[in-house]
């Protein structure tokens, strides 16, 4: 039985996926629990699909078109079979080695572990914007997390699996889990410059995403009234999956 699922959203990361897959396998093989790796190919057009075809063990979900990081995470989370779901970006800005200390926190009784990019390697404009957004989110959700936007996070799956992700809602997913009773902690993680290619998420999108603070906030309060239309929304993921391939053997 799969215990841990590692979910990676991938858009035009041809130069990255092979090494990333290898590094995640190496890290996960250093821990005892059965795991799966899921890459969600978010409509890549640069040959990423061909690179992914030769990798195993790996489950690849192909979306029909480029939908965005959030939909990619949404379908990956729904497909994940593990009790624990680790989310990590594909561009090596997160270090796969940080997955292991995160997993340790689950045995200490935590349900959500959020990465904190203490020494973040991003443009100053992003850093300033993030600082403001994190402070607002922390206050709004009464949750002292330094880095809501970190791409490296791990969740006990039952707290998040049925939550429909839209906009940039994954940023605030710890708040949803908290509302559902999860115990949350954060740990410092490494952060690197993107290793190849360029950022696919402009700061304008980050800014728009921050408005999700309000909609997720509304949802979090609304969860207390489960017979709402929103409840229906979480049951019907609208994102277009083209196919799912499962390469079990090398
Ligand atoms: N990504 C995706 N679909 C998109 C944009 C990004 O799946 O439309 C993936 C991307 O491949 C990476 C992660 O989301 O794994 C974060 O994207 P990126 O590194 O470009 O964002 P940044 O770190 O600059 O915010
Ligand atoms: Mg990045």
């Amino acid at each position: 039985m799969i215990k841990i699922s590692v979910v990676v959203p991938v858009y035009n990361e041809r130069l990255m996926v092979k090494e990333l897959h290898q590094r995640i396998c190496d890290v996960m093989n250093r821990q005892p629990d059965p795991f799966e790796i899921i890459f969600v190919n978010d409509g890549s057009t640069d040959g990423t699909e061909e690179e992914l075809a030769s990798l195993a063990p790996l489950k690849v979900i192909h979306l029909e078109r480029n939908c965005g990081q959030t939909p990619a995470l949404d379908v990956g989370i729904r497909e994940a079979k593990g009790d624990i779901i680790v989310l990590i970006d594909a561009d090596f800005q997160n270090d796969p080695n940080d997955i292991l200390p995160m997993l340790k926190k689950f045995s200490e009784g935590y349900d959500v572990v959020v990465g904190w990019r203490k020494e973040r390697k991003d443009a100053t404009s992003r850093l300033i914007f993030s600082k403001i957004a994190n402070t607002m989110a922390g206050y709004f959700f009464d949750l002292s997390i330094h880095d809501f936007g970190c791409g490296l996070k791990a969740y006990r799956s039952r707290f998040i699996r049925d939550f429909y992700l839209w906009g940039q809602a994954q940023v605030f997913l710890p708040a949803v889990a908290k509302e559902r009773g999860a115990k949350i902690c954060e740990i410092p993680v490494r952060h690197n410059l993107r290793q190849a290619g360029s950022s696919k998420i402009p700061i304008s999108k980050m800014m728009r995403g921050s408005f999700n603070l309000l909609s997720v906030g509304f949802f979090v309060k609304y969860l207390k009234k489960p017979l709402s239309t929103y409840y229906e929304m979480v049951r019907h993921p609208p994102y277009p999956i083209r196919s799912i391939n499962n390469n079990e053997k090398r």
Side-chain angles (χ1 to χ4, degrees):
M1 250 240 320
I2 288 165
K3 189 97 195 293
I4 304 165
S5 304
V6 181
V7 173
V8 189
V10 176
Y11 176 50
N12 288 349
E13 308 281 14
R14 178 175 58 86
L15 298 172
M16 230 75 84
V17 285
K18 192 168 178 196
E19 192 188 337
L20 181 71
H21 176 262
Q22 187 58 54
R23 295 259 311 267
I24 294 175
C25 284
D26 292 348
V27 165
M28 293 308 290
N29 282 324
R30 279 193 260 132
Q31 59 81 49
D33 293 322
F35 67 91
E36 65 176 353
I37 304 173
I38 300 176
F39 279 20
V40 184
N41 173 23
D42 182 20
S44 298
T45 51
D46 69 339
T48 294
E49 179 165 355
E50 290 70 21
E51 283 289 315
L52 291 174
S54 63
L55 304 179
L58 177 67
K59 184 179 272 191
V60 184
I61 305 173
H62 296 285
L63 295 183
E64 290 282 7
R65 59 172 172 80
N66 178 231
C67 295
Q69 180 193 19
T70 312
L73 289 171
D74 183 282
V75 298
I77 289 169
R78 278 170 207 281
E79 187 59 33
K81 304 278 182 289
D83 301 331
I84 293 172
I85 300 178
V86 178
L87 308 180
I88 184 167
D89 286 349
D91 58 356
F92 285 112
Q93 286 206 268
N94 306 132
D95 186 333
N97 286 309
D98 285 324
I99 294 174
L100 294 184
M102 286 192 142
L103 293 176
K104 277 217 182 86
K105 288 283 171 190
F106 287 88
S107 49
E108 291 171 23
Y110 289 101
D111 304 305
V112 177
V113 188
V114 183
W116 172 16
R117 297 164 291 179
K118 246 179 156 171
E119 287 167 35
R120 201 170 150 184
K121 309 279 190 308
D122 273 325
T124 317
S125 53
R126 273 184 186 236
L127 299 185
I128 294 170
F129 174 75
S130 292
K131 180 93 189 145
I132 297 168
N134 281 315
T135 308
M136 279 170 60
Y139 180 73
F140 191 84
F141 292 117
D142 191 19
L143 186 55
S144 41
I145 285 179
H146 289 87
D147 193 7
F148 280 87
C150 185
L152 180 56
K153 296 191 181 94
Y155 295 89
R156 231 179 258 292
S157 55
R158 67 174 188 273
F159 288 100
I160 59 163
R161 188 175 273 127
D162 67 344
F163 190 80
Y164 162 56
L165 293 178
W166 74 99
Q168 295 275 300
Q170 78 278 5
V171 170
F172 306 114
L173 206 45
V176 174
K178 180 191 167 220
E179 185 65 21
R180 293 174 166 190
K183 253 181 95 185
I184 299 176
C185 69
E186 64 179 355
I187 62 168
V189 295
R190 283 159 275 213
H191 193 238
N192 307 304
L193 292 170
R194 186 175 240 285
Q195 284 208 348
S198 57
S199 169
K200 303 346 185 250
I201 303 179
I203 190 161
S204 56
K205 193 164 180 183
M206 276 173 72
M207 286 177 170
R208 259 181 296 151
S210 66
F211 286 108
N212 274 148
L213 175 65
L214 298 176
S215 50
V216 174
F218 177 68
F219 194 103
V220 162
K221 313 279 179 225
Y222 223 69
L223 283 175
K224 290 169 187 156
K225 299 174 186 165
L227 289 177
S228 68
T229 48
Y230 274 102
Y231 196 67
E232 287 307 307
M233 221 163 83
V234 302
R235 289 167 172 274
H236 299 291
Y239 301 123
I241 294 171
R242 170 158 57 86
S243 62
I244 298 178
N245 306 334
N246 198 358
N247 289 353
E248 285 184 351
K249 298 225 166 60
R250 268 178 200 266

